[in-house]
Amino acid sequence: MLREVSLRVTRPRVSVLSAVHSHPHADTDEIIGFVRDDLGDVSHQAVYDVLRALTAVGLVRRIQPSGSAARYESRVGDNHHHVVCRSCGAIADVDCAVGTTPCLTASHDHGFAIDEAEVIYWGLCPDCTTTPNEQLSPQ
């Protein structure tokens, strides 16, 4: 994968890419921990630099829900969205609407050629829901 996007294959790049594939939606600190478990001592800056390079070439996607640290995933190249738990911060992928893509049809596109939408659904995950009909309060 690294060679296909003209990046040198290095141990930190392979380890970071593996961590992102194995742990979707992990934040930078979690990825640093996974990489250190794999390689031993590696600097924060090295992991940040690798994440930046992998994001720039499209091998990973960076998401940052409001109030959250940046998170990374290997699911790229499709127009999927996310659902975030207001309580524990769990994140899951949500596929875009099938057939037509209403999220790509803006009420007013201001002349932009829209090719992607970033939608984040907020709520409570099953583990944090205390009753089936619990009312969610907006933040």
Side-chain angles (χ1 to χ4, degrees):
M1 291 173 66
L2 293 167
R3 286 185 185 104
E4 288 173 6
V5 294
S6 301
L7 287 178
R8 284 185 318 118
V9 177
T10 64
R11 290 182 61 217
R13 285 178 178 164
V14 170
S15 184
V16 168
L17 192 55
S18 177
V20 172
H21 275 267
S22 300
H23 307 281
H25 309 125
D27 66 25
T28 308
D29 287 338
E30 292 169 324
I31 293 170
I32 290 168
F34 298 134
V35 171
R36 285 183 174 165
D37 288 345
D38 182 35
L39 299 179
D41 191 33
V42 65
S43 72
H44 281 74
Q45 191 60 50
V47 174
Y48 282 109
D49 291 346
V50 170
L51 286 168
R52 191 173 307 110
L54 295 176
T55 301
V57 297
L59 289 180
V60 301
R61 179 179 176 192
R62 180 184 187 272
I63 64 168
Q64 190 166 8
S66 179
S68 173
R71 296 173 177 271
Y72 297 86
E73 64 182 349
S74 59
R75 185 175 172 183
V76 296
D78 68 347
N79 191 40
H80 76 278
H81 309 301
H82 297 94
V83 60
V84 180
C85 179
R86 290 185 188 280
S87 181
C88 71
I91 300 176
D93 291 335
V94 177
D95 289 331
C96 190
V98 292
T100 61
T101 52
C103 58
L104 293 181
T105 307
S107 61
H108 187 352
D109 64 18
H110 299 276
F112 284 69
I114 298 172
D115 61 8
E116 183 177 355
E118 187 171 308
V119 175
I120 298 179
Y121 300 95
W122 294 89
L124 294 177
C125 70
D127 291 338
C128 293
T129 303
T130 57
T131 62
N133 296 321
E134 182 169 333
Q135 296 288 324
L136 298 180
S137 61
Q139 286 188 352

